[in-house]
Amino acid sequence: MKVIVCKDYEDMSKKASEFVINYMMEKPQIKFGFATGSSPIGLYKNLIAAQKDGEISFKYAKSVNLDEYVGIDPSNDQSYSYFMHKNLFDHVAIKKENIHLPSAPEADEKYAEKYRKELEEFGQRDIQILGLGVNGHIAFNEPAEKLNKYASIVELDQSTIEANSRFFENEEDVPKYALSMGLAEIFDAKTIIVLANGKNKHEAVKRLLNDEKITTDLPCGLLNLHPNVYLFVDEEAYNG
């Protein structure tokens, strides 16, 4: 794992975007795995600016997303579909048919099976972007005795619900389930970019980099097994 310690969130977003921009300049037909949440917003803003300046183009890019809440309409401003359009897709030249977003109107595994097939047909991603949960989850693969290999309906950990409650009026409004990519699918990317910022991510970052043993109690720790991971982390998350 290559660790890039950055001064602050802005610096982290800048360095991560420079990495992605260089990749896109070499391979315009890039296949992305995108993440949602606050961590990648700065990265996406920089990619939008780079396209506006003519450095890159999303014309030939394709994308899949890590996850989505169960039972939330894509038009809801808290859905990850809405997030991706607001923070990236509506501002770049990516073709609608090249965007793949998971959806699960209810907690039924048939929606997970559908997304598994979609991911298989999509093929290997060039870059997978990941955020880091305060409890070390990646996508919505929560700490547990066993982790899902492929896309599944998952029950969210209470700490994840609490962390996400800031986006909703009440904690009771936060969905309790999500459709999430599994570990094997996350790992099926040539390069993984992990973004971690803020003091609340320090413990997860510390364990990711220092734990001597790899355990499913810290899903992000499994990233140490992937051959090409870049961790972009700000000083707060790195030093605590």
Side-chain angles (χ1 to χ4, degrees):
M1 184 179 298
K2 301 168 186 68
V3 182
I4 300 93
V5 181
C6 310
K7 182 179 178 181
D8 51 24
Y9 179 79
E10 185 178 346
D11 188 40
M12 180 192 77
S13 301
K14 180 175 179 290
K15 286 184 168 63
S17 65
E18 287 171 350
F19 182 96
V20 175
I21 288 166
N22 286 335
Y23 203 116
M24 291 182 73
M25 290 173 73
E26 291 183 12
K27 188 176 183 181
Q29 69 278 26
I30 188 171
K31 287 185 176 181
F32 275 114
F34 284 128
T36 55
S38 56
S39 296
I41 290 176
L43 164 62
Y44 296 157
K45 283 182 178 177
N46 290 340
L47 295 181
I48 292 167
Q51 177 173 283
K52 188 176 180 181
D53 291 341
E55 285 185 80
I56 56 171
S57 173
F58 279 80
K59 185 178 180 181
Y60 303 107
K62 296 181 179 180
S63 76
V64 291
N65 257 66
L66 282 170
D67 44 29
E68 177 60 279
Y69 288 126
V70 166
I72 195 165
D73 192 89
S75 62
N76 187 305
D77 63 5
Q78 294 305 322
S79 77
Y80 292 158
S81 174
Y82 185 96
F83 174 98
M84 288 305 306
H85 281 88
K86 176 185 176 184
N87 290 290
L88 185 64
F89 295 151
D90 288 352
H91 310 283
V92 295
I94 191 167
K95 295 177 180 177
K96 186 178 179 180
E97 61 266 27
N98 289 339
I99 296 171
H100 302 271
L101 294 161
S103 175
E106 56 187 350
D108 191 320
E109 279 295 326
K110 69 182 181 182
Y111 299 108
E113 291 172 10
K114 179 183 176 183
Y115 201 52
R116 287 180 201 173
K117 291 177 182 176
E118 201 168 339
L119 291 170
E120 190 175 340
E121 291 170 3
F122 185 85
Q124 187 179 39
R125 279 144 285 141
D126 295 294
I127 290 179
Q128 174 64 59
I129 295 165
L130 293 178
L132 197 62
V134 293
N135 62 357
H137 75 227
I138 47 177
F140 275 125
N141 295 284
E142 305 281 13
E145 186 178 335
K146 297 180 181 180
L147 299 176
N148 290 316
K149 191 174 181 181
Y150 301 111
S152 303
I153 303 293
V154 296
E155 185 173 2
L156 304 188
D157 189 81
Q158 183 58 34
S159 66
T160 299
I161 292 171
E162 289 172 3
N164 290 348
S165 65
R166 68 188 189 277
F167 301 116
F168 293 82
E169 277 193 35
N170 304 294
E171 188 176 312
E172 297 75 39
D173 297 332
V174 183
K176 306 300 186 290
Y177 293 87
L179 167 55
S180 176
M181 208 182 276
L183 270 296
E185 292 156 338
I186 291 172
F187 272 56
D188 185 30
K190 294 176 184 176
T191 299
I192 295 177
I193 291 175
V194 184
L195 303 171
N197 62 285
K199 287 184 178 180
N200 65 330
K201 302 295 178 68
H202 172 63
E203 189 60 30
V205 169
K206 181 182 175 182
R207 291 191 61 196
L208 168 63
L209 298 177
N210 297 302
D211 277 9
E212 291 186 5
K213 294 186 178 181
I214 294 171
T215 167
T216 56
D217 287 337
L218 186 78
C220 67
L222 294 165
L223 293 170
N224 286 291
L225 302 176
H226 191 282
N228 203 27
V229 177
Y230 292 80
L231 171 63
F232 291 86
V233 56
D234 74 353
E235 289 181 357
E236 281 194 335
Y238 189 73
N239 296 318

